[in-house]
Structure formats: structure tokens, C-alpha cells
Amino acid sequence: MMWVKFKLEQSDKDIIFLPLSMMGMYPNRVFVCFGGKTVNAVVKYSEFFDLSINSTYEDPGIIGISIGLRNKLLVPEMITYRICVERNAISIGPVIGLLLGNNIYRYSPRHMEKYSDRFGIYDKVGGLIYAFSPRTVNWKKRIAFGLYYDNLSHSWDYGYFPLPEVIYRRDFHSNSNDIKRLIKETGGRLFNSCRFTKFEMYKYMNKNEELRDFLPPTQLTQDFGQIISFIDKHVRVILKPIDLSRGRGILIIEKDGYNYKVTDYRMVLPVVTTYRINELREFFNQNNSLFNKYLLQQFLSLATIDGCPFDIRVVMQKRADRIWRCSGIECRVSKNGSHLTNISRGGYALSFDKAIQRSFGEQATTFYEGIVLFCRKFCNYMDKSGEHFSEFGIDVAIDVNQNLWLIEANVFPSFKGFKKIDLQSYFNIRYAPFLYALSLTKYGDCEELT
């Protein structure tokens, strides 16, 4: 695999200029491939160009490309690329896409700055990395309008580009037909292809005999009678919206004799109200969204730290070797005894070692292996779903009896806590998707990337 930069040559014709030392090695015309674009170009040779198998990102070879060919391929010529030379084809890349949502008015260079800390390993990836929306795709021309990252200036700029050869999906509100079309365009190399709702995930996990034991009893809400029966059986239950994250929309209901204590976290501050059964029925009648769009789940008595429950976020990712590995574990402790551990709801992050020591007075290694083994089994099972995944934020918890439970798994995880407690893990998590994306192209080399 070779690294190159391009020198732009003044010609409207489709020409690629190779070193004089390569004369006779290739036919007079070759196919030049760049992402979803391929152009049949004339080959010319010159002593002013150089291309070596020993080239590196820091010391790339130089070859020429005509203005005409550049304009057809839509190649930003200032970028350092990897290049794959075959008998009748020259491939330039990689071309990696970040698939954003439909709110294209939001996507500006300033908005994209939050992605810039992912590029600490750009010298291992190279090529064109750009963000785009399904709404900016011209399907007939197989191009997209978006923002690409310039590693020299560490900035983002607008442009038109060929459809990517690999796509890292970063939003889950796109039209499903657009996603299917992009999956087809990339030959299945669009990863994180879908996000299961909480109930879809539960149903899929419940089919696996080995994993179902880690699931708390769960139902989809249907009517008030079903909800009361579930509460009477489990005494404390949690209601979660099937399609929200970060602790939004949650309610806790606890039966105490003939009373039902409801802690409602749908507001900025939790609202605690005690109802008799008829009052509780009226509460549900006034909140119809709690039917059919919510999960009803047994409330778990989680292990605590200083009286505050905590759960565990495990980040599992594929890298260059395409094997599921744990990129980091953080624990999230609730604030002032709240039921919710989410950092967005006031919780705080703690390292896994410290959390286990403070909660159980034991070494974390006694828990670590079992948690990672479970998460790896989870990920491998998700790979059998027919979707293409490369990362999960898996929320697990240990209860007061040291039993392990799966809370939920998110293909679009937040991992802000790592930035405070383990900066290197934070960056490793940020880098992993690009290394995985590269591995799906002809330019990926596992040995080079490890």
C-alpha cells in the first residue's frame, strides 16, 4: 500500500501522470477509481513524479492528475491518500462518509468541530473523510454535498464528493429507503445500520437462551389492568419510553399497601406523588403516551456507592481486526440518591476499579472478566441479526446480590464520562470507527494499524 499526494496538471482531458520508472508497466488507459466514481483515463509518464512502495503518510509519493480528471472524480487534491495500483486500475482512497441526519441547516464547519478530536489517527487512515446527509445525495450522479476534513488546517470545508465506499452512520432519523439505498451503494459497508428500540432489543435478546437470564422481567405497556398486575407482582417497577435515551421520560412506581408512589422523571426536576388505585388509573388516562410506547420493567435494587445506585457503561467496538473488543468501562453514579444514573441527569462518572472497591470492597478484576465476556456474547449475537454493527454502549448493572443485568444497549452511545476519568480511553473510543472503516476497504491492513 502506497501513500501519495497529487500535483494538479493543466489539462481538460482525463489524464493521470505516473513516474517515468513505471513506463511499460501499465496500458495506455486505466480505470481511476475514487469512492463511487470511476473514470477511464489516459496514462502519461514523467520524471517529475515519484511513487514508491516505501512511501509513508509523512513522506508520500507524488503523481499528477489533470484538472479534467480531478473535476470528474471530485478529488480534493491537497489531501494525502492511500493508493492501490493494479494492472488496469488505480484506486485512490479511502473515501469514508459520516452519515448525519436530515437537519442539513445545522451542518456547518462550526458544528463539525465536535468531530475533530476523532482525527488523532488520521495519519493511519488518510484519504477523504466527509460528512453528509441523505438529503444532499444526488442519486443519479452518485455524489453528495457535504463537509470534508482538512487535516492540514484542522478544519472542515464544503464540497461535492463521490458517494463513499464506507459509511459510518451517526444519525437514526433518516428515511429507511435512503439507508437501504446507501447500503446497496456501498455493498453492505454502511455500519451501525439500525438502532433497535428498547423493546425490539428485549425481544431479540430473549430468543437467546444464554442471554435471556440477564434480562429483568419486561413487558410492553398495553392497558391499565396489565400495568397494575405487573406492579402487584414486582412491587417496584420502572417505565421507560421505547425510543428515548439519557434517562428521558422515565417513571418509577412503587406499591406500598394500598398506595402507589410515582416518581416522575419526565420533568427537569422529579415529581413524587402518591395515588390510590383509582387516582392512579386517572393519572394513566391523562397520560395516554404511557400506553404502547413504554416498557414496563421490574425495578432492580442496584448496588450503591454512598447510598446512591450506580450502573456500568461498557463500550464495545470493532477495530481494524473486526473483532469485538472492550474499549472502556465507566461507572455512572446517581446524584443524591436519584434512581437515574445518567450523567445528563446529574449523575457523575467513576472509574470501574474505584466503583467496585467503594461498593463491594473487592477488586474489580473479579467482576471485569464476567462483564466483558457477557458483552462480547451480546455483540456477537447482535451480528447475527442481519444488521451491520461496529460499536455499542452497553449498560449493565450489578444488583445488591452481585447479579449481573442487562439494562439496555445503544448503537449511538454517549461516553462523556471517559473524557473526565480516562482521557486515553476516550480518544481510543473516538478513533475506533475510522480504523474499522478503513479495514472494510482495499486499503486496510490490520498489521499496519495495530
Side-chain angles (χ1 to χ4, degrees):
M1 195 61 57
M2 295 173 282
W3 292 86
V4 300
K5 295 199 78 167
F6 291 104
K7 183 176 183 297
L8 204 58
E9 296 293 319
Q10 296 295 321
S11 175
D12 292 333
K13 296 180 178 180
D14 304 330
I15 306 172
I16 188 165
F17 298 85
L18 298 178
L20 196 61
S21 60
M22 297 178 113
M23 183 176 289
M25 296 174 62
Y26 304 99
N28 293 331
R29 301 187 75 93
V30 297
F31 293 102
V32 182
C33 309
F34 182 61
K37 288 282 188 181
T38 299
V39 175
N40 188 237
V42 172
V43 180
K44 291 190 177 182
Y45 300 92
S46 170
E47 62 181 333
F48 298 108
F49 299 108
D50 174 64
L51 185 60
S52 169
I53 193 70
N54 297 317
S55 59
T56 64
Y57 174 82
E58 293 78 14
D59 186 20
I62 304 293
I63 61 176
I65 185 172
S66 66
I67 292 176
L69 183 57
R70 188 275 308 271
N71 291 344
K72 283 188 177 179
L73 290 175
L74 301 176
V75 179
E77 68 272 9
M78 69 292 296
I79 290 175
T80 303
Y81 294 96
R82 292 170 176 260
I83 191 169
C84 181
V85 180
E86 300 168 295
R87 179 60 188 165
N88 65 342
I90 295 176
S91 299
I92 304 161
V95 180
I96 299 171
L98 294 171
L99 184 63
L100 305 182
N102 291 326
N103 297 327
I104 56 178
Y105 63 89
R106 296 177 52 196
Y107 306 137
S108 64
R110 184 172 181 178
H111 174 85
M112 293 305 300
E113 286 177 2
K114 66 181 182 179
Y115 290 93
S116 296
D117 64 359
R118 289 182 178 272
F119 290 85
I121 41 79
Y122 180 81
D123 60 339
K124 296 183 180 295
V125 180
L128 173 64
I129 301 175
Y130 75 93
F132 72 106
S133 164
R135 288 187 175 180
T136 65
V137 175
N138 184 321
W139 296 105
K140 185 176 181 180
K141 295 183 178 181
R142 301 183 73 231
I143 63 174
F145 180 76
L147 293 115
Y148 79 98
Y149 184 74
D150 183 344
N151 194 53
L152 292 179
S153 63
H154 304 291
S155 62
W156 295 82
D157 202 0
Y158 295 101
Y160 285 94
F161 313 102
L163 288 181
E165 52 198 311
V166 180
I167 296 175
Y168 175 26
R169 188 176 183 183
R170 295 292 305 161
D171 183 270
F172 295 90
H173 301 287
S174 302
N175 182 283
S176 61
N177 290 329
D178 288 336
I179 299 303
K180 290 176 182 177
R181 203 164 180 178
L182 288 169
I183 290 172
K184 184 177 180 181
E185 288 283 348
T186 58
R189 292 189 296 272
L190 182 154
F191 58 90
N192 294 350
S193 55
C194 85
R195 178 168 61 179
F196 286 24
T197 68
K198 291 180 176 68
F199 193 57
E200 288 171 341
M201 182 71 74
Y202 174 81
K203 288 193 296 182
Y204 184 65
M205 289 294 110
N206 203 41
K207 295 177 182 178
N208 186 293
E209 293 184 1
E210 192 173 11
L211 298 176
R212 68 169 60 134
D213 290 340
F214 296 90
L215 300 172
T218 302
Q219 295 179 6
L220 188 65
T221 57
Q222 298 171 12
D223 54 50
F224 184 71
Q226 171 236 7
I227 292 171
I228 284 297
S229 296
F230 195 88
I231 297 172
D232 288 345
K233 180 178 180 179
H234 298 289
V235 182
R236 297 179 77 190
V237 303
I238 182 169
L239 280 84
K240 302 177 181 178
I242 60 174
D243 54 1
L244 293 180
S245 59
R246 300 195 296 275
R248 292 174 293 174
I250 284 178
L251 297 91
I252 309 291
I253 303 179
E254 180 178 0
K255 184 177 182 181
D256 182 13
Y258 295 104
N259 295 322
Y260 297 86
K261 177 183 174 182
V262 177
T263 306
D264 191 340
Y265 287 97
R266 292 177 297 170
M267 311 301 176
V268 175
L269 296 176
V271 177
V272 181
T273 310
T274 300
Y275 298 105
R276 303 290 279 188
I277 189 167
N278 288 335
E279 296 170 328
L280 184 64
R281 185 193 303 273
E282 182 61 25
F283 171 79
F284 275 92
N285 288 338
Q286 293 175 1
N287 292 270
N288 286 324
S289 64
L290 298 178
F291 297 115
N292 299 317
K293 295 183 179 180
Y294 266 72
L295 281 188
L296 189 60
Q297 200 169 70
Q298 179 185 0
F299 185 88
L300 300 173
S301 297
L302 302 187
T304 62
I305 295 173
D306 299 330
C308 298
F310 74 95
D311 65 9
I312 303 163
R313 164 64 56 87
V314 184
V315 179
M316 299 292 292
Q317 293 177 304
K318 292 176 183 175
R319 293 175 179 258
D321 58 8
R322 307 185 195 179
I323 296 173
W324 285 107
R325 301 184 187 280
C326 176
S327 296
I329 300 182
E330 66 174 0
C331 293
R332 301 172 306 175
V333 187
S334 70
K335 178 182 179 182
N336 299 327
S338 167
H339 298 101
L340 306 185
T341 61
N342 307 79
I343 292 175
S344 60
R345 298 302 297 258
Y348 66 92
L350 201 61
S351 73
F352 183 67
D353 288 354
K354 288 182 179 179
I356 295 300
Q357 178 64 37
R358 288 177 59 180
S359 181
F360 297 105
E362 298 183 26
Q363 295 298 313
T365 52
T366 60
F367 294 87
Y368 179 87
E369 291 183 3
I371 290 174
V372 173
L373 178 61
F374 165 77
C375 290
R376 189 173 292 119
K377 289 179 179 178
F378 168 89
C379 293
N380 288 332
Y381 182 56
M382 289 303 297
D383 279 343
K384 297 178 181 179
S385 69
E387 299 291 343
H388 186 169
F389 298 109
S390 79
E391 64 182 350
F392 282 105
I394 305 173
D395 293 341
V396 298
I398 302 171
D399 66 19
V400 292
N401 296 315
Q402 299 189 14
N403 297 311
L404 180 66
W405 299 95
L406 173 65
I407 305 301
E408 62 182 85
N410 196 335
V411 76
F412 190 27
S414 171
F415 33 78
K416 295 179 181 178
F418 287 102
K419 200 169 186 178
K420 296 181 180 179
I421 64 173
D422 188 347
L423 193 58
Q424 189 55 57
S425 288
Y426 171 80
F427 284 122
N428 288 341
I429 293 167
R430 299 286 277 176
Y431 299 157
F434 286 154
L435 297 176
Y436 177 68
L438 180 61
S439 79
L440 299 178
T441 72
K442 64 178 63 179
Y443 314 99
D445 186 326
C446 290
E447 292 184 4
E448 181 182 350
L449 298 176
T450 52

